[in-house]
Amino acid sequence: MPGPTLVIELAKPLSQGALREFRALLIGLSSRFDEERPGFFDIEVHTERLGIEDKRAEDRRRPFLVYLMGPGAGDETTFEAEHADEPEVEALLGFRPTHAVNVSAGRNGEIDHVATALLTAAVMDVIGGVANAELLDGQASFVAGLPGVLGIVDDDQIALGSAEFLRAWVGHPAFRLVK
C-alpha cells in the first residue's frame, strides 16, 4: 500500500464477538467491503463517515487494507518480524503484544493521513488496544504532550497511545504520519 500505516497492538487474540463488532464497524464505514479472510478487510471508506469534511476532494472514498495478524489470525511471519525486538514497547505497555491490527491507506494524500488516524481510532473504540505510531523527526516533542499518549520510545521514533491520542494528534498543525 502506498500510504501511511498505523498498528494497533493487542494484549490477546480477538474474541469472535469482538471480530464481529470489528467487521460490523468496517461494513458501516465502507462503500466497498471485501473480507479476503476472517479479519482481513479490503475496503473503501467515505471520509464523511469518519467526520472528515474535505470539499476539495471530488472522490471522498479512500482505499484501505485493515487486517488482523498474529498466531492463528494470519500474517504470522509479518507479525513476528515486526515484533521481534521491541523491549521498550513491551515495558511501556506492560504486555507483549500477541496480535495486532494494521490499518494501511491505499493513497498518500493529506486526507489519507487524517483518515488513517481516524479509522484506526474508530477500530480501537471497538476492539481496544494501543496505537503504535512511527514518528517523523521532530514530532516527539509535541506528540508527547497530547492527551492519551502513554509514552514515546525507540529514540523518539514511536508513540504509543489511545484513540484519544490519535484524535488529538490529527488536530495538531504539524500532524503527519510516516508513510
Short mmCIF file of all heavy atoms in Angstrom, two decimals, residues 25-32 44-53 60-61 118-119 122:
data_model
loop_
_atom_site.label_atom_id
_atom_site.label_comp_id
_atom_site.label_asym_id
_atom_site.label_seq_id
_atom_site.Cartn_x
_atom_site.Cartn_y
_atom_site.Cartn_z
N LEU A 25 -18.32 -2.60 12.18
CA LEU A 25 -17.84 -1.22 12.08
C LEU A 25 -17.36 -0.92 10.67
O LEU A 25 -17.74 0.08 10.07
CB LEU A 25 -16.71 -0.97 13.08
CG LEU A 25 -15.96 0.36 12.87
CD1 LEU A 25 -16.80 1.53 13.35
CD2 LEU A 25 -14.61 0.33 13.56
N LEU A 26 -16.51 -1.80 10.14
CA LEU A 26 -15.94 -1.56 8.81
C LEU A 26 -17.01 -1.60 7.72
O LEU A 26 -16.97 -0.81 6.78
CB LEU A 26 -14.81 -2.54 8.53
CG LEU A 26 -13.59 -2.38 9.44
CD1 LEU A 26 -12.53 -3.40 9.08
CD2 LEU A 26 -13.03 -0.98 9.39
N ILE A 27 -17.98 -2.49 7.85
CA ILE A 27 -19.09 -2.52 6.89
C ILE A 27 -19.84 -1.20 6.92
O ILE A 27 -20.18 -0.63 5.89
CB ILE A 27 -20.03 -3.71 7.17
CG1 ILE A 27 -19.34 -5.04 6.80
CG2 ILE A 27 -21.36 -3.55 6.41
CD1 ILE A 27 -20.08 -6.28 7.24
N GLY A 28 -20.09 -0.68 8.12
CA GLY A 28 -20.81 0.57 8.27
C GLY A 28 -20.07 1.78 7.72
O GLY A 28 -20.69 2.74 7.26
N LEU A 29 -18.75 1.74 7.74
CA LEU A 29 -17.94 2.87 7.24
C LEU A 29 -17.63 2.76 5.75
O LEU A 29 -17.21 3.73 5.14
CB LEU A 29 -16.61 2.95 8.01
CG LEU A 29 -16.69 3.32 9.49
CD1 LEU A 29 -15.32 3.17 10.14
CD2 LEU A 29 -17.22 4.74 9.65
N SER A 30 -17.85 1.59 5.19
CA SER A 30 -17.35 1.31 3.83
C SER A 30 -18.39 1.48 2.75
O SER A 30 -19.56 1.20 2.94
CB SER A 30 -16.84 -0.14 3.77
OG SER A 30 -15.80 -0.33 4.68
N SER A 31 -17.90 1.93 1.59
CA SER A 31 -18.72 1.92 0.38
C SER A 31 -18.41 0.66 -0.43
O SER A 31 -19.19 0.25 -1.28
CB SER A 31 -18.46 3.16 -0.46
OG SER A 31 -17.10 3.24 -0.81
N ARG A 32 -17.24 0.09 -0.19
CA ARG A 32 -16.85 -1.20 -0.80
C ARG A 32 -16.21 -2.00 0.31
O ARG A 32 -15.37 -1.50 1.06
CB ARG A 32 -15.84 -1.00 -1.93
CG ARG A 32 -15.41 -2.32 -2.59
CD ARG A 32 -14.34 -2.13 -3.65
NE ARG A 32 -13.18 -1.41 -3.21
CZ ARG A 32 -12.19 -1.93 -2.45
NH1 ARG A 32 -12.24 -3.18 -2.05
NH2 ARG A 32 -11.16 -1.19 -2.12
N GLU A 44 -13.17 0.46 1.01
CA GLU A 44 -13.15 1.88 0.66
C GLU A 44 -14.01 2.58 1.69
O GLU A 44 -15.16 2.18 1.93
CB GLU A 44 -13.72 2.12 -0.73
CG GLU A 44 -12.71 2.01 -1.82
CD GLU A 44 -13.25 2.43 -3.17
OE1 GLU A 44 -14.43 2.83 -3.30
OE2 GLU A 44 -12.47 2.32 -4.13
N VAL A 45 -13.47 3.62 2.31
CA VAL A 45 -14.17 4.34 3.36
C VAL A 45 -14.52 5.74 2.86
O VAL A 45 -13.67 6.42 2.29
CB VAL A 45 -13.28 4.43 4.63
CG1 VAL A 45 -13.92 5.31 5.69
CG2 VAL A 45 -12.99 3.05 5.18
N HIS A 46 -15.76 6.14 3.07
CA HIS A 46 -16.17 7.52 2.79
C HIS A 46 -15.64 8.39 3.92
O HIS A 46 -15.94 8.15 5.09
CB HIS A 46 -17.69 7.63 2.71
CG HIS A 46 -18.24 7.33 1.38
ND1 HIS A 46 -18.24 8.26 0.36
CD2 HIS A 46 -18.81 6.21 0.88
CE1 HIS A 46 -18.80 7.71 -0.71
NE2 HIS A 46 -19.14 6.47 -0.42
N THR A 47 -14.87 9.40 3.58
CA THR A 47 -14.25 10.24 4.62
C THR A 47 -15.29 10.94 5.48
O THR A 47 -15.04 11.18 6.67
CB THR A 47 -13.28 11.26 4.00
OG1 THR A 47 -13.98 12.05 3.03
CG2 THR A 47 -12.10 10.56 3.35
N GLU A 48 -16.45 11.24 4.94
CA GLU A 48 -17.50 11.88 5.74
C GLU A 48 -17.92 10.98 6.90
O GLU A 48 -18.29 11.46 7.96
CB GLU A 48 -18.74 12.20 4.89
CG GLU A 48 -18.49 13.20 3.80
CD GLU A 48 -18.13 12.52 2.48
OE1 GLU A 48 -18.00 11.28 2.41
OE2 GLU A 48 -17.94 13.26 1.50
N ARG A 49 -17.88 9.68 6.69
CA ARG A 49 -18.28 8.74 7.75
C ARG A 49 -17.28 8.72 8.89
O ARG A 49 -17.59 8.24 9.97
CB ARG A 49 -18.46 7.34 7.16
CG ARG A 49 -19.63 7.28 6.19
CD ARG A 49 -19.80 5.92 5.60
NE ARG A 49 -20.84 5.96 4.56
CZ ARG A 49 -21.06 4.99 3.71
NH1 ARG A 49 -20.35 3.87 3.76
NH2 ARG A 49 -22.00 5.10 2.80
N LEU A 50 -16.09 9.26 8.65
CA LEU A 50 -15.08 9.40 9.71
C LEU A 50 -15.11 10.80 10.32
O LEU A 50 -14.31 11.12 11.19
CB LEU A 50 -13.68 9.11 9.16
CG LEU A 50 -13.41 7.69 8.71
CD1 LEU A 50 -12.08 7.61 7.97
CD2 LEU A 50 -13.43 6.74 9.88
N GLY A 51 -16.02 11.64 9.82
CA GLY A 51 -16.12 13.00 10.32
C GLY A 51 -15.21 13.99 9.62
O GLY A 51 -15.00 15.10 10.09
N ILE A 52 -14.67 13.59 8.47
CA ILE A 52 -13.76 14.46 7.71
C ILE A 52 -14.57 15.21 6.66
O ILE A 52 -15.24 14.59 5.83
CB ILE A 52 -12.65 13.65 7.02
CG1 ILE A 52 -11.84 12.87 8.05
CG2 ILE A 52 -11.76 14.56 6.19
CD1 ILE A 52 -10.92 11.84 7.43
N GLU A 53 -14.48 16.51 6.70
CA GLU A 53 -15.11 17.33 5.68
C GLU A 53 -14.02 17.94 4.82
O GLU A 53 -13.29 18.80 5.27
CB GLU A 53 -15.96 18.42 6.32
CG GLU A 53 -17.15 17.88 7.08
CD GLU A 53 -18.03 18.96 7.65
OE1 GLU A 53 -18.09 20.06 7.05
OE2 GLU A 53 -18.64 18.71 8.68
N ARG A 60 -14.39 11.18 -2.33
CA ARG A 60 -14.10 11.10 -0.89
C ARG A 60 -13.99 9.66 -0.41
O ARG A 60 -13.92 9.42 0.78
CB ARG A 60 -15.17 11.86 -0.13
CG ARG A 60 -15.10 13.36 -0.44
CD ARG A 60 -16.09 14.15 0.39
NE ARG A 60 -16.03 15.54 0.02
CZ ARG A 60 -16.89 16.13 -0.80
NH1 ARG A 60 -17.87 15.45 -1.33
NH2 ARG A 60 -16.76 17.40 -1.09
N ARG A 61 -13.95 8.72 -1.32
CA ARG A 61 -13.75 7.31 -0.96
C ARG A 61 -12.25 7.05 -0.93
O ARG A 61 -11.53 7.40 -1.85
CB ARG A 61 -14.42 6.39 -1.96
CG ARG A 61 -15.93 6.52 -1.96
CD ARG A 61 -16.54 5.76 -3.10
NE ARG A 61 -16.05 6.38 -4.34
CZ ARG A 61 -16.19 5.84 -5.54
NH1 ARG A 61 -16.81 4.71 -5.69
NH2 ARG A 61 -15.73 6.46 -6.61
N LEU A 118 -8.02 8.52 11.99
CA LEU A 118 -9.39 8.45 12.49
C LEU A 118 -10.00 7.07 12.33
O LEU A 118 -10.77 6.62 13.19
CB LEU A 118 -10.25 9.52 11.80
CG LEU A 118 -9.85 10.96 12.14
CD1 LEU A 118 -10.72 11.95 11.37
CD2 LEU A 118 -9.90 11.22 13.64
N LEU A 119 -9.67 6.36 11.25
CA LEU A 119 -10.15 4.99 11.10
C LEU A 119 -9.53 4.10 12.17
O LEU A 119 -10.21 3.27 12.79
CB LEU A 119 -9.82 4.46 9.70
CG LEU A 119 -10.21 3.01 9.41
CD1 LEU A 119 -11.70 2.77 9.63
CD2 LEU A 119 -9.80 2.63 7.98
N ALA A 122 -11.31 4.70 15.40
CA ALA A 122 -12.63 4.07 15.40
C ALA A 122 -12.52 2.57 15.65
O ALA A 122 -13.31 1.99 16.41
CB ALA A 122 -13.34 4.35 14.07
#
